[in-house]
Amino acid sequence: MRANIPKGMGGGPSNMQAMIRQAQKMQEDMEQKQAELDEREYEVKAGGGVVAVKINGKKEILSIDIQPEIVDPDDVETLSDILVAAVNEAIKRVETTNSEEMSKITGGMGMPGMF
């Protein structure tokens, strides 16, 4: 019994070589895009703009700007909550952007461990 394989599927060495070249190109594109994303900077504000966090694509906090009006020695907890919210939102923005940009290259294919 012979298997009926559609044309272009398992069609010999040249087809396999083309798939390998395509995978290598995708990997190169992903590495280049990751380098670009690592260099990006984002600014996220929280608490109505009284706290601003600047973060890069590697999820490294570059700066935190705190407006004086939010600093209340009797209510440090509110400032702390706003800082946590701002940092978490900054990290989320980096992850979302990285994921969206990489899926443009991979066509939505899951590539575990690649980014």
Side-chain angles (χ1 to χ4, degrees), residues 29-79:
D29 291 347
M30 289 175 64
E31 288 170 0
Q32 180 180 1
K33 179 57 75 175
Q34 188 62 58
E36 289 173 24
L37 292 170
D38 286 349
E39 295 301 315
R40 281 191 190 175
E41 291 183 5
Y42 306 82
E43 185 173 84
V44 175
K45 295 183 179 189
V50 294
V51 171
V53 173
K54 189 178 275 190
I55 189 171
N56 67 19
K58 294 184 243 180
K59 301 178 198 166
E60 298 169 334
I61 303 299
L62 303 174
S63 67
I64 297 176
D65 182 43
I66 302 169
Q67 298 298 312
E69 63 266 20
I70 193 62
V71 180
D72 179 355
D74 296 326
D75 188 14
V76 176
E77 188 175 336
T78 296
L79 177 57

Side-chain angles (χ1 to χ4, degrees), residues 44 55 59 61 86-96:
V44 175
I55 189 171
K59 301 178 198 166
I61 303 299
V87 169
N88 285 336
E89 182 59 33
I91 291 169
K92 183 178 174 183
R93 183 171 302 166
V94 171
E95 289 175 346
T96 299

